[in-house]
Amino acid sequence: MVGLFLSFCGFGGILDFADRLDLTDDQVEAIRKLEREHKLRAADLEAKLKKLRARWDYEMTAEEPNFKRLRQLANQIADTKAKLEAERLKFELSILEVLTPEQRERWRKLRHPWSRVNEELERIFRELEQELPGLKMRIKVFEEEKL
C-alpha cells in the first residue's frame, strides 16, 4: 500500500527522473534517505488505519452497534488519515528542500503534465487574442455576405 501511495503522491518516483533533473549523487542519497524514513512512518500509520477500520467493521456488524464507540472510531480514523496526509506533505516538502530552484521548476513540469498543456493553451490564446481584431472583421464580412 505504501508503494502505491508513493506513486500517486508523485514524489516516490522522483528518482526515476534523476537524469532529467540533473540530480547530484548527494541529492540522490538524501532523497533515498527521506523515502526510507517516510515509508516507515507511513507504514505505521497505514497499519494503524487498517486496525481502526477492522474495529469499525466489527462494531458495525454487532447485533446492537454502539453509536458512541463508532463515533470514537470515526474520530480516530479521521485523525489517523490527517496524520498520514501531514506525513505525505512533510515528505514532499522535504524533497523540495533538496532540489535547486531550477530542479523544482523542472520537477513541477515533469510531475504535472497538464501544466505543459496549460502553457501551450495559454500560448495559443495569446496568439488568438492578437489575431482577434482580424477574425472579428472576417466574421463581420462573412455575416454581411450572408445577408
Side-chain angles (χ1 to χ4, degrees):
M1 181 68 179
V2 174
L4 183 65
F5 170 75
L6 288 172
S7 296
F8 282 115
C9 81
F11 278 84
I14 192 169
L15 293 177
D16 295 339
F17 296 96
D19 290 338
R20 292 175 74 182
L21 293 171
D22 294 324
L23 296 178
T24 66
D25 291 342
D26 288 342
Q27 286 176 310
V28 169
E29 187 52 41
I31 291 170
R32 282 190 179 132
K33 182 180 180 203
L34 290 169
E35 283 182 336
R36 286 190 305 269
E37 293 167 354
H38 169 70
K39 284 179 183 181
L40 288 174
R41 289 188 302 267
D44 288 343
L45 290 167
E46 287 284 353
K48 181 178 180 181
L49 197 54
K50 186 175 181 178
K51 195 175 195 179
L52 288 167
R53 286 179 175 149
R55 286 185 192 156
W56 171 273
D57 290 342
Y58 178 80
E59 285 292 331
M60 284 298 290
T61 57
E63 200 168 303
E64 291 185 32
N66 181 328
F67 177 77
K68 185 177 178 181
R69 180 67 185 134
L70 285 166
R71 187 174 52 202
Q72 288 172 341
L73 286 168
N75 288 336
Q76 290 174 341
I77 289 169
D79 182 54
T80 304
K81 284 181 176 180
K83 287 178 181 175
L84 188 58
E85 184 64 19
E87 170 55 36
R88 183 192 61 78
L89 180 60
K90 179 182 168 188
F91 170 62
E92 289 187 12
L93 292 175
S94 64
I95 286 182
L96 288 176
E97 289 176 9
V98 172
L99 303 177
T100 66
E102 295 80 18
Q103 290 169 326
R104 278 187 226 127
E105 179 61 22
R106 268 186 267 151
W107 176 240
R108 184 188 65 80
K109 289 179 180 178
L110 289 169
R111 183 174 179 220
H112 300 291
W114 283 106
S115 68
R116 291 188 299 263
V117 171
N118 287 336
E119 289 171 6
E120 182 63 16
L121 286 173
E122 287 174 13
R123 184 190 63 74
I124 290 169
F125 283 130
R126 280 192 303 273
E127 289 177 4
L128 286 174
E129 283 177 345
Q130 291 173 357
E131 294 179 20
L132 192 58
L135 288 173
K136 284 182 179 178
M137 181 58 79
R138 282 185 250 154
I139 290 170
K140 185 177 178 183
V141 169
F142 178 75
E143 288 174 345
E144 289 173 354
E145 287 176 356
K146 288 178 82 177
L147 296 175

